[in-house]
Amino acid sequence: MEILYKSTRGKEKVRASEAIINGLASDGGLYIPTIIPKIDLSYDELIKFDYRELAMYILKKYLTDFSEEEISYCVNNAYNDKFEREEIAPLVKKGDEYYLELYHGRTLAFKDMALSILPYLMKVACKKLNIKDEIVILTATSGDTGKAALEGFAGIPGFRIIVFYPENGVSHIQKLQMVTQKEENTLVFGIKGNFDDAQSGVKEIFEDKNFNESLKEEGYILSSANSINIGRLIPQIIYYVYSYISMIKKGYISKGEEINVSVPTGNFGNILAGFYAKSMGIPINKLICASNENNVLWEFFNDGSYNKNRDFKVTVSPSMDILVSSNLERLLYNISDEKTVKNMMEDLKRKGEYTLSESMISSLKDFYSSFATDKETYEAVKKIYEKNLYLMDTHTAVAYKAYKDYSETTKDEKKTIIVSTASPFKFNKDICKGLGIDEEIEDFRLIEKLSAYTGVEIPISLKILESSPVVHKLSCSKSEMRESIKKYLRV
Ligand SMILES: *Cc1c(COP(=O)(O)O)cnc(C)c1O
């Protein structure tokens, strides 16, 4: 059965390979699969899979124009010793909590789960579509996507990658990770603004037909590595299925038992993949959408209206500092139709807000939402470390807090997986602050101190960061993004 990908805002329908290369549909909508395939193996069969085998199984269902050989090539190049754990995405139980650790890739955040495979999916897609032009990946980042995309595309022939990050909106370690990327085909810019400025700037460039045509004449095609690309969303479904079968394998649940998942959410990509896993048949009861103080999504799920007209806050979970959650558009389509989505997205652009109808609101029952303030985030980090000697990062702490709110309000006792999205070392200053360790020292010394204090080993990729030279020193304003791209490509 062939699965096509259609736009959330119109009739456009394309094959998986085209959707991956296009990034965004030509009408500005996001691609979504026309059918969500079902899991058709028993738990006994699924349990036998390791991460790569499960990845093969899931990807084959979605990428129906890819051959088995092509998918295997992508999977084997993505999920290998780039990850510091054999299981790729370990599920750990600490105290009464279950954590799905998605941060053992090279850049220490869950973005590696999808961005280590996306370059290979794109490479295969280019070959299929007979594309000879060079692909230029444009990426806006709130900190973690940028590095994961750089690491994914670095040195891959036929690709260039350009990353824009908010100059004052990422952690010191996140910035260092990006500006030390040394391969020739990489370029990194600081943007004078916040993540939404970077993201809307990139989106406008994708929608600028003249600009795209002028690059095309020079042999360049723009594409996206942001989570609007369906090639990022689909690989994320794998770890939800994997976490569920890990729960069975480890004896924490019985086959078919319902669980909840709590996901620290920004652009709504990660949690949406969880929703897809549920739609495929994984018995997920509630998807808990955890926000920080930029709590637009919390308001959305509780009031049925989305309003981005508010102050942007820089929080201790910076990868979630987002006011426009792009992937929510895919969920909106799921509960309405392309015309409604188009209108709502126009409202969002013009007025900064939109409201759902009663019937749409009643279709959101799979979700629960809560949020954590910075203070609550610090408290969660400290509490869990002291109670269970488990060190979690600030984003994960937000998910923990939302889960606690959920279980207190609903009294639901189903086992809940807390999706752990970053290594605590990546946000060492705030982790130390939460734990009450004096954090007023230089980053790398602090990392050593944190490791000595907790006994948690420092990831290898962080150890080498200190001695890596800075190669990217450029910055620009949102209005200069086009010029900067042209200058780099010499067009
Ligand atoms: C990107 C990111 C998130 C948010 O994920 P979305 O898919 O954008 O909702 C949460 N935590 C960390 C550490 C991240 O890097």
Side-chain angles (χ1 to χ4, degrees):
M1 182 177 52
E2 182 170 38
I3 292 187
L4 292 175
Y5 290 81
K6 83 170 287 293
S7 167
T8 48
R9 298 189 199 177
K11 299 285 176 211
E12 182 180 330
K13 249 188 219 170
V14 297
R15 284 172 293 160
S17 53
E18 294 169 280
I20 289 170
I21 294 300
N22 295 351
L24 215 56
S26 59
D27 53 23
L30 308 190
Y31 290 114
I32 38 144
T34 42
I35 305 164
I36 306 252
K38 293 280 179 225
I39 290 183
D40 51 5
L41 291 179
S42 68
Y43 295 119
D44 290 328
E45 289 167 298
L46 288 171
I47 276 175
K48 293 186 195 130
F49 288 153
D50 66 12
Y51 199 88
R52 280 180 291 275
E53 288 162 339
L54 183 69
M56 286 287 301
Y57 172 71
I58 302 283
L59 294 179
K60 264 200 293 196
K61 293 206 166 297
Y62 283 93
L63 310 176
T64 49
D65 61 335
F66 283 54
S67 70
E68 179 144 357
E69 217 179 357
E70 287 166 337
I71 294 178
S72 158
Y73 160 80
C74 296
V75 165
N76 290 325
N77 276 291
Y79 305 119
N80 51 28
D81 58 8
K82 283 180 205 147
F83 288 81
E84 281 191 36
R85 293 286 188 287
E86 188 62 40
E87 306 107 293
I88 308 292
L91 180 96
V92 302
K93 179 171 193 278
K94 289 285 154 143
D96 295 328
E97 278 90 46
Y98 304 85
Y99 298 89
L100 175 64
E101 295 184 349
L102 300 178
Y103 58 79
H104 295 292
R106 282 218 183 120
T107 78
L108 311 178
F110 96 96
K111 305 293 194 294
D112 287 324
M113 302 305 297
L115 280 162
S116 53
I117 194 165
L118 183 69
Y120 297 99
L121 296 175
M122 282 191 166
K123 211 172 140 186
V124 169
C126 279
K127 200 164 137 240
K128 264 183 190 314
L129 303 171
N130 206 12
I131 293 170
K132 299 276 189 288
D133 301 304
E134 195 162 354
I135 306 282
V136 180
I137 306 292
L138 289 191
T139 295
T141 183
S142 57
D144 292 330
T145 298
K147 177 58 182 179
L150 285 164
E151 196 62 49
F153 286 98
I156 298 203
F159 290 92
R160 294 201 199 205
I161 161 122
I162 307 178
V163 169
F164 297 95
Y165 71 91
E167 222 166 21
N168 298 315
V170 301
S171 83
H172 181 57
I173 293 290
Q174 286 178 316
K175 180 172 171 176
L176 268 186
Q177 283 184 314
M178 290 188 276
V179 297
T180 55
Q181 192 77 42
K182 56 185 185 298
E183 288 80 357
E184 279 281 324
N185 69 335
T186 64
L187 188 66
V188 178
F189 281 101
I191 286 278
K192 301 182 184 90
N194 61 37
F195 171 68
D196 285 314
D197 295 319
Q199 170 154 277
S200 61
V202 165
K203 246 186 142 182
E204 281 161 26
I205 292 174
F206 281 125
E207 287 165 13
D208 182 342
K209 289 212 163 62
N210 289 336
F211 186 73
N212 280 268
E213 272 162 27
S214 70
L215 290 188
K216 176 88 177 104
E217 278 166 23
E218 305 286 337
Y220 296 112
I221 295 180
L222 294 183
S223 190
S224 164
N226 276 99
S227 58
I228 53 167
N229 194 315
I230 195 77
R232 268 193 59 189
L233 192 61
I234 294 168
Q236 292 177 177
I237 302 168
I238 304 162
Y239 55 73
Y240 282 98
V241 180
Y242 186 76
S243 70
Y244 187 79
I245 60 177
S246 301
M247 290 287 279
I248 298 176
K249 228 192 262 187
K250 292 177 189 253
Y252 300 149
I253 53 169
S254 57
K255 294 163 197 163
E257 184 176 334
E258 283 197 325
I259 59 161
N260 304 306
V261 294
S262 183
V263 190
T265 299
N267 228 344
F268 209 72
N270 196 354
I271 195 168
L272 187 69
F275 178 70
Y276 280 24
K278 176 177 163 82
S279 310
M280 290 181 80
I282 296 298
I284 296 172
N285 170 46
K286 287 280 180 195
L287 296 137
I288 302 169
C289 174
S291 297
N292 64 22
E293 287 176 56
N294 294 295
N295 52 12
V296 235
L297 286 168
W298 167 74
E299 208 176 85
F300 171 82
F301 283 110
N302 287 286
D303 300 349
S305 64
Y306 195 99
N307 188 342
K308 69 157 187 157
N309 301 315
R310 62 179 73 210
D311 288 337
F312 181 94
K313 294 197 176 134
V314 176
T315 73
V316 296
S317 46
S319 304
M320 298 157 67
D321 289 347
I322 291 172
L323 294 180
V324 180
S325 297
S326 308
N327 274 292
L328 193 61
E329 181 170 343
R330 289 188 162 111
L331 181 68
L332 293 177
Y333 181 83
N334 229 280
I335 58 171
S336 66
D337 54 52
E338 62 249 0
K339 192 150 176 285
T340 312
V341 172
K342 193 162 184 266
N343 289 338
M344 287 192 291
M345 291 301 114
E346 268 160 24
D347 282 351
L348 182 64
K349 197 162 186 179
R350 237 174 1 148
K351 299 186 291 191
E353 60 181 316
Y354 59 83
T355 303
L356 303 188
S357 66
E358 282 304 320
S359 75
M360 286 175 81
I361 292 174
S362 65
S363 307
L364 292 176
K365 293 210 171 69
D366 294 331
F367 293 87
Y368 170 92
S369 185
S370 188
F371 71 94
T373 62
D374 279 357
K375 186 166 168 279
E376 289 166 330
T377 306
Y378 285 131
E379 282 166 3
V381 168
K382 188 173 165 70
K383 179 176 137 192
I384 288 304
Y385 183 71
E386 287 176 352
K387 197 169 84 151
N388 300 327
L389 286 183
Y390 185 66
L391 191 63
M392 63 185 179
D393 100 290
T394 45
H395 303 77
T396 310
V398 170
Y400 171 83
K401 157 69 170 49
Y403 156 60
K404 281 290 152 191
D405 289 346
Y406 171 76
S407 57
E408 270 161 37
T409 4
T410 63
K411 310 283 180 232
D412 178 10
E413 289 181 353
K414 289 186 195 66
K415 312 236 163 71
T416 300
I417 293 176
I418 296 163
V419 176
S420 178
T421 50
S423 159
F425 289 104
K426 202 164 183 177
F427 301 95
N428 55 79
K429 267 207 164 30
D430 284 314
I431 297 305
C432 287
K433 202 165 163 187
L435 294 178
I437 303 173
D438 174 20
E439 87 280 4
E440 291 304 321
I441 55 171
E442 189 271 323
D443 258 302
F444 290 94
R445 302 293 78 75
L446 190 60
I447 286 169
E448 287 162 5
K449 198 167 162 182
L450 181 60
S451 173
Y453 182 82
T454 58
V456 181
E457 214 176 304
I458 304 172
I460 297 161
S461 59
L462 258 193
K463 284 189 198 157
I464 58 175
L465 192 60
E466 186 174 16
S467 54
S468 307
V470 172
V471 282
H472 302 281
K473 294 175 182 155
L474 299 170
S475 73
C476 68
S477 65
K478 185 179 162 187
S479 60
E480 293 165 338
M481 285 165 76
R482 282 179 185 71
E483 271 318 300
S484 305
I485 295 168
K486 281 191 155 175
K487 212 164 140 193
Y488 167 61
L489 298 175
R490 297 178 204 274
V491 300

